[in-house]
Amino acid sequence: MEYGDKHILVLGAGASGIGASWVLAQVGAHVVLNDYKPVTLPADEEKRLVSAGVDIITGRQDESLLDGVDRIVISPGISLDIPIVKAAQARGIDVVSEVEVAYELSKSPIVAVTGTNGKTTTTTLLTKVLEGTGKPVRVGGNIGDSLSEVAYSMPADGFLVAELSSYQLETIKHFRPIGAIMLNITPDHLARHKTMENYIAAKERIFENQLSTDFMVLNIDDPIVADMKHRAPSHILEISQHQVVSNGAYYDKGQCYVTKNGIATPVIGSADIHIPGSHNIENILTVIALAYALSVPIETIHRIISEFHGVEHRLERVKTLDGITFYNDSKATNVDSVVKALESFDQSVILLAGGHDKMTPLEDFMQLVKHHTKAVIFMGEAADRFEAAAKEAGVQPIYRASSMKDAVEQGYKLAVQGDIVLLSPACSSFDWYSCFEERGDDFKNCVHMLQEGRHH
């Protein structure tokens, strides 16, 4: 879309909406930034938007905002079921995500990562590997800065790396990444998408506009993802930890291989990989497959992966105290993430879980918790439901915590030398915190406040 003199309504005054509003004003659009809640923007952000000519209207969201509007740009956290979006659709007004704006404005090709779990680790590692080429590389979307703002500043000869959620993909139109990764699909965000079919369909939009010359990495160990190869129009690269693939990457006997037309080349062995768990092998294989397809040399891929020690709040080792090691996995906001975390450890685990409940089924999850934990400590809004499901599954012992400090102190008291205390909530953070980062930081602060040498 050519934005000059167009009237654009941006819904949602968070980072995505603020970034999109500023960028759209730069390319000549008349922009209104709206949020139904009364929002006080940071002073510097408000000054930047106002000086760019953006009108900011918060605290109301009536249909009159649609008068004369050519397009709505919707922030990822906003449901398509709200009245103003329904009214816009009834009027035939285009409703797109900020990702679509980024695609329209980026001079660089885009590579994109989606999946239920592992997106941030994979996106971060992919960004570092592409940076190893010496080309300009920027990252945005579900991680880091607003994607449209990053896209606006990109030169033509680099890569824009996008971490994309189902919310962001739900409202694309022409968005086309030259390379994309689909990690895995497990139940998540069902309160928003209503059914697994809707959730999968939103995720699959990542490849709907791709060409046969574009690359799509599919994790064929996940049956839902494996089934997508029949629908993706792109050049498929498969990854697997259980079988050899002819185009893509696979793991066998402690070694990651990249393959092209059936010819396998070793890339990196497990001795040089510093992030624990089979789920991280999955993440690494997808990066190897896509980076190699994008002509990154194997030596560069090996070097960057061997230097990578993970992402903050994702199985982040915080401290070892009296032989007890504390891990911050605050980014584990669904049960599948916690399963992957628990399966990463051979030691006894005391699990700290709970938060704002996503209402996903817990029966299978609690069976796994029973076999992989020494004790569980539940907290937050979800604690009652989690405790009931844990008791039903025969999990024991079960404890409750009234705060993060309480949970950390209880975990420390229950642990003995060699044990792990793991914060892996299986919930979003919005009961006690504004984001998972804040929750993880609180956990780390509470761990650092513990006194060494305490008698257990």
Side-chain angles (χ1 to χ4, degrees), residues 7-20:
H7 291 264
I8 310 294
L9 174 63
V10 178
L11 295 179
S16 169
I18 290 168

Side-chain angles (χ1 to χ4, degrees), residues 179-183 215-219 225 235-239 285-287 289-290:
I181 289 170
M182 183 74 71
L183 288 160
F215 298 105
M216 185 69 221
V217 181
L218 299 177
N219 169 23
V225 175
H235 181 78
I236 302 295
L237 301 170
E238 299 178 335
I239 69 108
L285 288 172
T286 64
V287 170
L290 185 54

Side-chain angles (χ1 to χ4, degrees), residues 389-403:
K391 284 179 174 168
E392 182 77 22
V395 175
Q396 56 177 342
I398 300 169
Y399 300 89
R400 293 285 284 268
S402 57
S403 65

Side-chain angles (χ1 to χ4, degrees), residues 131-182:
E131 283 171 344
T133 64
K135 291 183 175 183
V137 180
R138 294 283 306 277
V139 62
N142 214 35
I143 177 178
D145 299 320
S146 141
L147 192 65
S148 56
E149 205 162 334
V150 175
Y152 180 66
S153 66
M154 278 298 293
D157 58 343
F159 291 104
L160 175 56
V161 185
E163 179 188 317
L164 301 179
S165 69
S166 55
Y167 294 180
Q168 289 163 306
L169 288 164
E170 197 174 29
T171 43
I172 62 159
K173 278 190 78 177
H174 304 292
F175 174 76
R176 177 193 147 220
I178 63 155
I181 289 170
M182 183 74 71

